[in-house]
Amino acid sequence: MEVRHGVADVRRLWQSSHTLLVIPIVLIVVITVVDQLVPADIHLGPLLVTAPAFTASFAGPRLTGLIGLMAVAAQAYIGWHFGVLFQRNVLVQILALAVLSALIVFFCVVRERRARQLDQVRAVAQAAQHGLLWPLPERMGRLRIACLYLAAEDEAQIGGDLYAATRIVGGVRVMIGDVRGKGLSAIGEAALLLGAFREAAHRHTTLPALSAALEQSATRYLADFEPADEVGERFATALLLEVPDGDHTARIVSCGHPPPLLLSPGDALTVPSLHPAPPLGIGGTGPEGYTIDVIPFEPGDTLLLYTDGVIEARDADGGFYPLETRAARWSDAGPESLLHHIQRDLFAHTGGHLEDDAALIVLRREPDDHRGRHHGRLIHASGFGHNSATGR
């Protein structure tokens, strides 16, 4: 299907270029004809250079060179028509037109070469981004999951926001976080936290112990790689969530991260009151420094996790995006539909551009008798990777 779309795009581009080719040809014909009709002291031949110049805006070097040759031939015809082809002034005009056309063709060659190089760089970047920013599975345990990542950097798909989920014995653990900063400069720290979560999520039985392990990893990383002029200014907020299979609750530890939104059937929305700990990377916090907040999470309920790039998105008047109000409108929507509504509404609010990276995860708890296709095996997935295993 992608190959068909690619062939169709190329065909449309070819047809469009050859349709536009009529314009420079008409220019050459009109200038040539009008030059023969105006008084003898008026010379329109130099205007022929507009034909190859215009062609270069939409065509490659071959078509541009062809139009340049036609322009030179038209200039020569004008000189022959008036019997002055071999006069010095006319020869200089023909030579100047030929040189300008050659320079325009050379510009097209350089432009196409750079365009190919840029396409190659983009292809490599997109492949790397796709490998790092892997979507979460649609189902994990008793949860239906949908995720969305919106990068602030142009031409980028990832940045400083991160998310991950892993299937543990008896439940699911999810992490969403936000590294200070945005775009490509924050990817290293985001990748570190995701790698640490992948390992620590299966080694620690409690969320406070998991949080302390992530804190240690972030602190060690910053000690080795934090720039001297940014000491103490690099950190990451994170929200760790655990959903047991046999209990209608969700356990949460917040490391300076915004609380999730709990959406219940009937347009009911609740913002849990959490006891946040300092962000990761601040240092000096052990398991005892983290508080587990337990909230009800009944079948049919939806948890919406997000980063501050969503709630801090501004409109033209500087107003923040009202996520709570808007999400309540779509509380009965499925995970994918809810994210679609929010994305469309968020871009409408900001005029189509975000100033900061934004990530969202939607978790819908299925009825207890529902068995997801991944139930009974361990699954790991994250915003920077997706692995699965049949056991610890």
Side-chain angles (χ1 to χ4, degrees):
M1 184 62 69
E2 292 181 358
V3 173
R4 292 180 180 178
H5 284 308
V7 172
D9 292 340
V10 172
R11 185 181 295 111
R12 284 194 296 268
L13 179 62
W14 188 90
Q15 293 173 345
S16 175
S17 297
H18 284 69
T19 300
L20 291 174
L21 197 61
V22 173
I23 298 177
I25 293 176
V26 170
L27 280 175
I28 292 174
V29 173
V30 170
I31 292 173
T32 302
V33 172
V34 173
D35 190 79
Q36 299 176 48
L37 299 177
V38 298
D41 58 335
I42 298 177
H43 304 284
L44 300 180
L47 293 179
L48 289 169
V49 73
T50 59
F54 176 78
T55 306
S57 66
F58 65 86
R62 292 184 178 180
L63 286 178
T64 303
L66 176 62
I67 295 298
L69 287 175
M70 293 177 63
V72 171
Q75 179 70 71
Y77 171 78
I78 293 174
W80 174 82
H81 175 78
F82 288 105
V84 293
L85 176 61
F86 297 103
Q87 289 188 5
R88 182 170 59 182
N89 181 51
V90 175
L91 291 176
V92 169
Q93 290 182 12
I94 295 175
L95 178 62
L97 181 58
V99 171
L100 288 175
S101 298
L103 289 176
I104 294 173
V105 171
F106 176 75
F107 165 77
C108 289
V109 172
V110 173
R111 183 190 61 189
E112 285 203 345
R113 181 178 301 173
R114 291 183 177 179
R116 287 193 298 268
Q117 293 174 347
L118 181 58
D119 289 340
Q120 292 176 351
V121 171
R122 286 176 175 172
V124 172
Q126 289 176 358
Q129 290 170 346
H130 182 73
L132 293 174
L133 191 61
W134 197 269
L136 303 182
E138 295 180 359
R139 294 187 182 274
M140 186 174 285
R142 304 251 170 92
L143 298 178
R144 285 178 57 197
I145 303 176
C147 57
L148 175 65
Y149 197 105
L150 304 171
E153 292 278 356
D154 294 334
E155 305 294 342
Q157 300 174 3
I158 53 179
D161 288 5
L162 56 105
Y163 52 75
T166 184
R167 183 82 167 103
I168 62 173
V169 176
V172 174
R173 281 180 175 173
V174 179
M175 177 180 69
I176 188 169
D178 183 4
V179 173
R180 182 182 181 273
K182 67 178 182 179
L184 302 179
S185 62
I187 291 179
E189 295 168 52
L192 166 90
L193 288 177
L194 288 169
F197 176 81
R198 286 195 291 264
E199 288 295 321
H202 295 281
R203 293 184 178 181
H204 300 279
T205 58
T206 66
L207 289 183
L210 173 59
S211 302
L214 295 179
E215 165 65 27
Q216 292 175 1
S217 297
T219 302
R220 285 196 300 267
Y221 175 85
L222 294 178
D224 293 335
F225 300 103
E226 187 176 38
D229 58 344
E230 296 185 10
V231 174
E233 298 182 5
R234 304 291 288 271
F235 57 84
T237 66
L239 188 77
L240 301 175
L241 182 142
E242 183 177 275
V243 180
D245 288 338
D247 190 3
H248 296 170
T249 62
R251 304 163 189 166
I252 303 174
V253 168
S254 173
C255 302
H257 199 82
L261 303 182
L262 178 62
L263 306 173
S264 301
D267 297 337
L269 183 145
T270 305
V271 181
S273 179
L274 304 182
H275 299 81
L280 301 175
I282 300 299
T285 302
E288 66 282 354
Y290 299 94
T291 301
I292 297 180
D293 293 292
V294 181
I295 64 172
F297 190 28
E298 300 290 339
D301 287 350
T302 298
L303 276 171
L304 175 60
L305 286 62
Y306 56 92
T307 59
D308 60 8
V310 178
I311 57 177
E312 293 181 0
R314 297 175 181 267
D315 59 15
D317 298 325
F320 292 114
Y321 179 67
L323 178 62
E324 295 179 20
T325 303
R326 303 298 173 82
R329 300 178 181 176
W330 309 302
S331 60
D332 292 328
E336 295 82 4
S337 179
L338 176 59
L339 287 185
H340 174 74
H341 285 306
I342 293 176
Q343 180 181 11
R344 184 176 58 183
D345 192 53
L346 181 62
F347 279 141
H349 179 83
T350 61
H353 178 73
L354 297 177
E355 295 297 329
D356 194 6
D357 303 319
L360 302 100
I361 301 177
V362 176
L363 307 173
R364 169 69 62 86
R365 187 177 185 109
E366 297 291 330
D368 290 340
D369 59 349
H370 180 81
R371 295 295 184 269
R373 59 183 174 183
H374 298 311
H375 182 67
R377 60 173 179 164
L378 294 179
I379 294 177
H380 174 82
S382 75
F384 283 14
H386 178 201
N387 299 304
S388 63
T390 57
R392 281 178 182 256

Coordinates of all heavy atoms in Angstrom, one line a residue, residues 112-180:
E112 N 19.3 19.9 -6.1 CA 18.8 18.5 -6.0 C 19.8 17.6 -5.2 O 19.4 16.7 -4.5 CB 18.7 18.0 -7.5 CG 17.5 18.5 -8.2 CD 17.0 17.6 -9.3 OE1 17.8 16.7 -9.7 OE2 15.9 17.7 -9.8
R113 N 21.1 17.9 -5.3 CA 22.0 17.1 -4.6 C 21.8 17.3 -3.1 O 21.8 16.3 -2.3 CB 23.5 17.5 -5.0 CG 24.6 16.7 -4.3 CD 25.9 17.1 -4.7 NE 26.1 16.9 -6.2 CZ 27.1 17.3 -6.9 NH1 28.1 17.9 -6.3 NH2 27.2 17.0 -8.2
R114 N 21.6 18.5 -2.7 CA 21.4 18.8 -1.3 C 20.1 18.2 -0.8 O 19.9 17.8 0.3 CB 21.5 20.3 -1.0 CG 22.9 20.9 -1.2 CD 22.9 22.4 -0.8 NE 24.2 22.9 -0.9 CZ 24.5 24.2 -0.7 NH1 23.6 25.0 -0.4 NH2 25.8 24.6 -0.8
A115 N 19.1 18.3 -1.7 CA 17.8 17.7 -1.4 C 17.9 16.2 -1.1 O 17.3 15.6 -0.2 CB 16.8 18.0 -2.5
R116 N 18.7 15.5 -2.0 CA 18.9 14.1 -1.8 C 19.6 13.8 -0.5 O 19.2 12.8 0.3 CB 19.6 13.5 -3.0 CG 18.8 13.4 -4.2 CD 19.6 12.5 -5.2 NE 20.8 13.0 -5.6 CZ 21.0 13.8 -6.7 NH1 20.0 14.2 -7.4 NH2 22.2 14.3 -7.0
Q117 N 20.6 14.6 -0.1 CA 21.3 14.4 1.1 C 20.4 14.6 2.3 O 20.4 13.9 3.3 CB 22.5 15.4 1.2 CG 23.6 15.1 0.2 CD 24.7 16.1 0.2 OE1 24.5 17.2 0.8 NE2 25.8 15.8 -0.4
L118 N 19.5 15.7 2.2 CA 18.6 15.9 3.3 C 17.6 14.8 3.4 O 17.2 14.4 4.6 CB 17.9 17.3 3.0 CG 16.9 17.7 4.1 CD1 17.6 17.9 5.4 CD2 16.2 19.0 3.7
D119 N 17.1 14.3 2.3 CA 16.2 13.2 2.4 C 16.8 11.9 3.0 O 16.2 11.2 3.8 CB 15.7 12.8 1.0 CG 14.8 13.8 0.4 OD1 14.2 14.6 1.1 OD2 14.6 13.8 -0.9
Q120 N 18.1 11.7 2.7 CA 18.8 10.6 3.4 C 18.9 10.8 4.9 O 18.7 9.9 5.7 CB 20.2 10.4 2.8 CG 20.1 9.9 1.3 CD 21.5 9.8 0.7 OE1 22.5 10.3 1.3 NE2 21.6 9.2 -0.5
V121 N 19.3 12.0 5.3 CA 19.4 12.3 6.7 C 18.0 12.2 7.4 O 17.9 11.6 8.5 CB 19.9 13.8 6.9 CG1 19.9 14.2 8.4 CG2 21.4 13.8 6.4
R122 N 17.0 12.7 6.8 CA 15.6 12.5 7.3 C 15.2 11.1 7.5 O 14.6 10.7 8.4 CB 14.6 13.3 6.5 CG 14.7 14.8 6.6 CD 13.8 15.5 5.7 NE 13.7 17.0 5.9 CZ 13.1 17.8 5.2 NH1 12.4 17.4 4.1 NH2 13.1 19.1 5.4
A123 N 15.6 10.3 6.4 CA 15.2 8.9 6.5 C 15.9 8.2 7.6 O 15.3 7.4 8.4 CB 15.6 8.2 5.1
V124 N 17.2 8.5 7.8 CA 17.9 7.9 8.9 C 17.3 8.3 10.3 O 17.1 7.5 11.2 CB 19.4 8.2 8.8 CG1 20.2 7.7 10.1 CG2 20.0 7.6 7.6
A125 N 17.1 9.6 10.4 CA 16.5 10.2 11.6 C 15.1 9.6 11.9 O 14.8 9.2 13.1 CB 16.4 11.7 11.5
Q126 N 14.3 9.4 10.9 CA 13.0 8.9 11.1 C 13.1 7.4 11.5 O 12.3 6.9 12.4 CB 12.1 9.0 9.9 CG 11.7 10.4 9.6 CD 10.9 10.6 8.3 OE1 10.8 9.6 7.6 NE2 10.5 11.8 8.0
A127 N 14.0 6.7 10.9 CA 14.2 5.3 11.3 C 14.7 5.1 12.7 O 14.2 4.3 13.5 CB 15.2 4.6 10.4
A128 N 15.6 6.0 13.1 CA 16.1 6.0 14.5 C 15.0 6.4 15.5 O 14.8 5.8 16.5 CB 17.3 6.9 14.7
Q129 N 14.2 7.4 15.1 CA 13.1 7.9 16.0 C 12.0 6.8 16.1 O 11.5 6.6 17.2 CB 12.5 9.2 15.4 CG 13.5 10.4 15.5 CD 13.0 11.6 14.8 OE1 12.1 11.5 13.9 NE2 13.5 12.7 15.0
H130 N 11.8 6.1 15.0 CA 10.7 5.1 15.1 C 11.2 3.9 15.9 O 10.4 3.3 16.7 CB 10.4 4.6 13.7 CG 9.4 3.5 13.6 ND1 8.0 3.8 13.9 CD2 9.4 2.2 13.4 CE1 7.3 2.7 13.8 NE2 8.2 1.7 13.5
G131 N 12.5 3.6 15.9 CA 13.1 2.6 16.7 C 13.0 2.9 18.2 O 12.9 2.1 19.0
L132 N 13.3 4.2 18.5 CA 13.2 4.7 19.9 C 11.8 4.9 20.4 O 11.5 4.4 21.5 CB 14.0 6.0 20.0 CG 15.5 5.9 19.7 CD1 16.2 7.3 19.7 CD2 16.2 5.0 20.7
L133 N 11.0 5.5 19.6 CA 9.7 5.9 20.0 C 8.7 4.8 19.5 O 8.0 5.0 18.6 CB 9.3 7.3 19.5 CG 8.0 7.9 20.1 CD1 8.2 8.1 21.6 CD2 7.7 9.2 19.4
W134 N 8.6 3.7 20.2 CA 7.8 2.6 19.8 C 6.5 2.8 20.6 O 6.4 2.9 21.8 CB 8.4 1.3 20.2 CG 7.8 0.1 19.5 CD1 6.8 -0.6 19.9 CD2 8.2 -0.4 18.2 NE1 6.6 -1.6 19.0 CE2 7.4 -1.5 17.9 CE3 9.2 0.0 17.3 CZ2 7.5 -2.2 16.7 CZ3 9.3 -0.7 16.1 CH2 8.5 -1.8 15.8
P135 N 5.3 2.6 19.9 CA 4.0 2.8 20.6 C 3.8 1.6 21.6 O 4.3 0.5 21.4 CB 3.0 2.8 19.4 CG 3.7 2.0 18.3 CD 5.2 2.4 18.4
L136 N 3.0 1.9 22.6 CA 2.7 0.9 23.6 C 1.7 -0.1 22.9 O 0.9 0.3 22.0 CB 2.1 1.5 24.8 CG 3.0 2.6 25.5 CD1 2.3 3.1 26.8 CD2 4.3 2.0 25.9
P137 N 1.6 -1.3 23.4 CA 0.6 -2.3 22.9 C -0.8 -1.8 23.2 O -1.0 -1.1 24.2 CB 1.0 -3.6 23.6 CG 1.7 -3.2 24.9 CD 2.4 -1.9 24.5
E138 N -1.7 -2.2 22.4 CA -3.1 -1.8 22.6 C -3.7 -2.4 23.8 O -4.6 -1.9 24.4 CB -4.0 -2.2 21.4 CG -3.5 -1.4 20.1 CD -4.4 -1.8 18.9 OE1 -5.3 -2.7 19.1 OE2 -4.2 -1.3 17.8
R139 N -3.2 -3.6 24.2 CA -3.7 -4.3 25.4 C -2.6 -4.8 26.3 O -1.6 -5.3 25.7 CB -4.7 -5.4 25.1 CG -6.0 -5.0 24.4 CD -7.0 -6.1 24.3 NE -8.2 -5.7 23.6 CZ -9.2 -5.2 24.2 NH1 -9.2 -5.0 25.5 NH2 -10.3 -4.8 23.5
M140 N -2.7 -4.7 27.6 CA -1.8 -5.2 28.5 C -2.5 -5.6 29.8 O -3.0 -4.7 30.5 CB -0.7 -4.1 28.8 CG 0.5 -4.7 29.6 SD 1.8 -3.4 29.8 CE 2.6 -3.5 28.2
G141 N -2.5 -6.9 30.1 CA -3.3 -7.3 31.2 C -4.8 -7.0 31.0 O -5.4 -7.3 30.0
R142 N -5.3 -6.3 32.0 CA -6.7 -5.9 32.0 C -6.9 -4.5 31.4 O -8.0 -3.9 31.6 CB -7.3 -6.0 33.4 CG -7.2 -7.4 34.0 CD -8.5 -8.1 34.1 NE -8.2 -9.5 34.5 CZ -8.3 -10.0 35.7 NH1 -8.5 -9.1 36.7 NH2 -8.1 -11.2 36.0
L143 N -5.9 -4.0 30.8 CA -5.9 -2.6 30.4 C -5.9 -2.5 28.9 O -5.2 -3.2 28.2 CB -4.7 -1.8 30.9 CG -4.5 -1.7 32.4 CD1 -3.2 -0.9 32.7 CD2 -5.7 -1.0 33.0
R144 N -6.7 -1.5 28.4 CA -6.6 -1.1 27.0 C -5.8 0.2 27.0 O -6.0 1.1 27.9 CB -8.0 -0.8 26.4 CG -8.8 -2.0 26.0 CD -10.1 -1.6 25.5 NE -10.0 -0.7 24.3 CZ -11.0 0.1 23.8 NH1 -12.2 0.1 24.4 NH2 -10.8 0.8 22.8
I145 N -4.8 0.3 26.1 CA -3.9 1.4 26.2 C -3.8 2.1 24.9 O -3.9 1.5 23.8 CB -2.5 0.9 26.6 CG1 -2.5 0.1 27.9 CG2 -1.4 2.0 26.6 CD1 -1.2 -0.5 28.3
A146 N -3.7 3.4 24.9 CA -3.4 4.2 23.7 C -2.4 5.3 24.2 O -2.4 5.8 25.3 CB -4.7 4.9 23.2
C147 N -1.5 5.7 23.3 CA -0.5 6.7 23.6 C -0.3 7.7 22.5 O -0.6 7.4 21.3 CB 0.9 6.1 24.0 SG 1.5 5.0 22.7
L148 N 0.2 8.8 22.8 CA 0.4 9.9 21.8 C 1.6 10.7 22.2 O 1.7 11.1 23.3 CB -0.9 10.8 21.7 CG -0.8 12.0 20.8 CD1 -0.7 11.6 19.3 CD2 -2.0 12.9 21.0
Y149 N 2.4 11.0 21.2 CA 3.6 11.8 21.4 C 3.6 12.9 20.4 O 3.5 12.7 19.2 CB 4.9 11.0 21.3 CG 6.1 11.7 21.9 CD1 6.6 11.3 23.2 CD2 6.7 12.8 21.3 CE1 7.7 11.9 23.7 CE2 7.7 13.4 21.9 CZ 8.2 13.0 23.1 OH 9.3 13.7 23.7
L150 N 3.8 14.1 20.9 CA 3.8 15.3 20.0 C 5.1 16.1 20.3 O 5.3 16.6 21.4 CB 2.6 16.2 20.3 CG 1.3 15.6 20.1 CD1 0.2 16.5 20.6 CD2 1.0 15.2 18.7
A151 N 6.1 16.0 19.4 CA 7.4 16.7 19.6 C 7.3 18.2 19.2 O 6.7 18.5 18.2 CB 8.5 16.0 18.8
A152 N 8.0 19.0 20.0 CA 8.0 20.4 19.7 C 8.9 20.7 18.5 O 8.7 21.7 17.8 CB 8.4 21.2 20.9
E153 N 10.0 19.9 18.4 CA 11.0 20.2 17.4 C 10.4 19.9 16.0 O 9.8 18.8 15.8 CB 12.2 19.3 17.6 CG 13.0 19.7 18.9 CD 14.0 20.8 18.6 OE1 14.1 21.3 17.4 OE2 14.6 21.3 19.5
D154 N 10.6 20.8 15.0 CA 10.2 20.5 13.7 C 11.0 19.3 13.2 O 12.2 19.2 13.4 CB 10.4 21.7 12.8 CG 9.5 22.8 13.2 OD1 8.4 22.6 13.7 OD2 9.9 24.0 12.9
E155 N 10.4 18.5 12.3 CA 11.0 17.3 11.7 C 11.4 16.2 12.8 O 12.2 15.3 12.5 CB 12.3 17.7 10.9 CG 12.0 18.7 9.9 CD 11.1 18.2 8.8 OE1 11.0 17.0 8.6 OE2 10.5 19.0 8.0
A156 N 10.9 16.3 14.0 CA 11.3 15.4 15.0 C 10.0 14.7 15.5 O 8.9 15.2 15.4 CB 12.0 16.0 16.2
Q157 N 10.2 13.4 16.0 CA 9.1 12.7 16.5 C 9.3 12.4 18.0 O 8.4 11.8 18.6 CB 8.9 11.3 15.8 CG 8.6 11.5 14.3 CD 8.6 10.2 13.5 OE1 8.8 9.2 14.1 NE2 8.5 10.3 12.2
I158 N 10.4 12.7 18.5 CA 10.7 12.4 19.9 C 11.4 13.6 20.5 O 11.9 14.5 19.8 CB 11.6 11.2 20.1 CG1 12.9 11.3 19.2 CG2 10.8 9.9 19.8 CD1 13.8 10.1 19.4
G159 N 11.5 13.7 21.8 CA 12.1 14.8 22.5 C 12.4 14.4 24.0 O 12.8 13.3 24.3
G160 N 12.0 15.3 24.9 CA 12.3 15.1 26.3 C 11.2 14.4 27.1 O 11.5 14.1 28.2
D161 N 10.1 14.2 26.5 CA 9.0 13.5 27.2 C 9.2 12.0 26.9 O 9.8 11.6 25.9 CB 7.7 13.9 26.7 CG 7.3 15.3 27.2 OD1 8.2 15.9 27.8 OD2 6.2 15.8 26.9
L162 N 8.7 11.2 27.8 CA 8.9 9.7 27.8 C 7.7 9.0 28.4 O 7.0 9.5 29.2 CB 10.2 9.3 28.4 CG 10.3 9.7 29.9 CD1 10.1 8.5 30.8 CD2 11.7 10.4 30.2
Y163 N 7.6 7.8 27.9 CA 6.6 6.9 28.5 C 7.0 5.4 28.4 O 7.8 5.1 27.5 CB 5.2 7.1 27.9 CG 5.1 7.0 26.4 CD1 5.2 5.8 25.8 CD2 5.0 8.2 25.7 CE1 5.2 5.7 24.4 CE2 4.9 8.1 24.3 CZ 5.0 6.9 23.7 OH 5.0 6.8 22.3
A164 N 6.5 4.6 29.3 CA 6.9 3.2 29.3 C 5.8 2.4 30.0 O 5.1 3.0 30.9 CB 8.3 3.0 29.9
A165 N 5.7 1.1 29.7 CA 4.8 0.3 30.4 C 5.4 -1.1 30.4 O 6.0 -1.6 29.4 CB 3.4 0.3 29.7
T166 N 5.2 -1.9 31.5 CA 5.7 -3.2 31.6 C 4.7 -4.1 32.3 O 4.0 -3.7 33.3 CB 7.0 -3.3 32.3 OG1 7.5 -4.6 32.3 CG2 6.9 -2.8 33.7
R167 N 4.5 -5.3 31.9 CA 3.7 -6.3 32.5 C 4.5 -7.0 33.6 O 5.5 -7.7 33.3 CB 3.2 -7.3 31.5 CG 2.2 -8.4 32.0 CD 0.8 -7.8 32.1 NE -0.2 -8.8 32.4 CZ -0.7 -9.0 33.5 NH1 -0.4 -8.3 34.6 NH2 -1.6 -10.0 33.7
I168 N 4.1 -6.9 34.8 CA 4.7 -7.6 35.9 C 3.8 -8.7 36.4 O 2.6 -8.8 36.0 CB 5.1 -6.7 37.1 CG1 3.9 -6.0 37.7 CG2 6.1 -5.7 36.6 CD1 4.2 -5.2 38.9
V169 N 4.3 -9.6 37.3 CA 3.4 -10.6 37.9 C 2.3 -10.0 38.7 O 2.5 -9.2 39.6 CB 4.2 -11.6 38.8 CG1 3.3 -12.6 39.4 CG2 5.3 -12.3 37.9
G170 N 1.1 -10.2 38.2 CA -0.1 -9.7 39.0 C -0.5 -8.3 38.6 O -1.4 -7.7 39.3
G171 N 0.1 -7.7 37.6 CA -0.4 -6.3 37.3 C 0.4 -5.7 36.2 O 1.2 -6.3 35.5
V172 N 0.3 -4.4 36.1 CA 1.0 -3.6 35.0 C 1.6 -2.3 35.7 O 0.9 -1.7 36.5 CB 0.0 -3.2 33.9 CG1 0.6 -2.2 32.9 CG2 -0.6 -4.4 33.2
R173 N 2.7 -2.0 35.3 CA 3.4 -0.8 35.7 C 3.6 0.2 34.5 O 4.0 -0.3 33.5 CB 4.7 -1.1 36.4 CG 4.5 -1.5 37.9 CD 5.9 -1.8 38.5 NE 5.7 -2.2 39.9 CZ 6.6 -2.6 40.7 NH1 7.9 -2.7 40.3 NH2 6.4 -2.9 42.0
V174 N 3.3 1.4 34.8 CA 3.4 2.4 33.7 C 4.2 3.6 34.3 O 4.1 4.0 35.4 CB 2.0 2.9 33.3 CG1 2.1 4.0 32.2 CG2 1.2 1.7 32.8
M175 N 5.0 4.2 33.4 CA 5.7 5.4 33.7 C 5.6 6.4 32.6 O 5.6 6.1 31.4 CB 7.2 5.2 33.9 CG 8.0 6.4 34.2 SD 9.8 6.2 34.4 CE 10.3 5.7 32.8
I176 N 5.3 7.7 33.0 CA 5.3 8.8 32.1 C 6.2 9.9 32.7 O 6.1 10.1 34.0 CB 3.9 9.3 31.8 CG1 4.0 10.4 30.7 CG2 3.2 9.9 33.0 CD1 2.6 10.7 30.1
G177 N 7.0 10.5 31.9 CA 7.9 11.5 32.5 C 8.2 12.6 31.6 O 7.9 12.6 30.4
D178 N 9.0 13.6 32.1 CA 9.3 14.8 31.3 C 10.6 15.3 31.8 O 10.8 15.7 32.9 CB 8.2 15.9 31.6 CG 8.5 17.1 30.7 OD1 9.4 17.1 29.9 OD2 7.7 18.1 30.9
V179 N 11.6 15.2 30.9 CA 13.0 15.7 31.2 C 13.0 17.2 31.0 O 12.4 17.7 30.0 CB 14.0 15.0 30.3 CG1 15.4 15.6 30.4 CG2 14.0 13.5 30.6
R180 N 13.7 17.9 31.8 CA 13.8 19.3 31.7 C 14.4 19.7 30.3 O 15.4 19.1 29.9 CB 14.6 19.9 32.8 CG 14.7 21.5 32.7 CD 15.6 22.0 33.8 NE 15.7 23.4 33.8 CZ 16.6 24.1 33.1 NH1 17.5 23.5 32.3 NH2 16.7 25.4 33.1

